[in-house]
Amino acid sequence: LFMKYPVEVAAFQAVQETADHLILHVVPGNGFDRVEDEILRKTQDYVGADVRVEMIRQDSIALGPGGKRRLFISRSGMKAAGI
């Protein structure tokens, strides 16, 4: 989903805190304000009404120990596809 917004989203990370709570960490790019609601709506449609989706703007997202940014982190033991 975020790959459709290469200018508007400079970086992102989705964190599945629990089975029913997804946090989207986003580093806004140019024009992010125009697409923020659309991204939130599309994500909500994708994960379903039973999952609370929260978006948090950040200045940066830390790289992991291997020097790469993890796009998805599951703290609930669940796996996600396509976000």
Side-chain angles (χ1 to χ4, degrees):
L1 170 68
F2 286 94
M3 303 309 179
K4 295 178 182 179
Y5 306 97
V7 174
E8 296 89 348
V9 177
F12 75 93
Q13 185 174 69
V15 179
Q16 182 86 40
E17 290 291 339
T18 62
D20 61 353
H21 186 204
L22 178 69
I23 300 175
L24 303 174
H25 298 273
V26 177
V27 177
N30 292 332
F32 179 75
D33 290 336
R34 288 183 291 122
V35 298
E36 181 176 10
D37 290 338
E38 179 181 347
I39 291 171
L40 199 52
R41 186 183 77 253
K42 286 183 176 184
T43 303
Q44 189 68 66
D45 289 347
Y46 182 80
V47 298
D50 294 341
V51 177
R52 180 169 56 105
V53 178
E54 177 182 357
M55 187 179 293
I56 299 174
R57 292 179 181 220
Q58 297 185 201
D59 293 332
S60 64
I61 297 174
L63 301 177
K68 295 182 180 179
R69 182 177 303 109
R70 291 178 59 192
L71 299 181
F72 184 81
I73 296 173
S74 177
R75 294 191 175 128
S76 70
M78 300 180 68
K79 296 187 181 209
I83 294 182

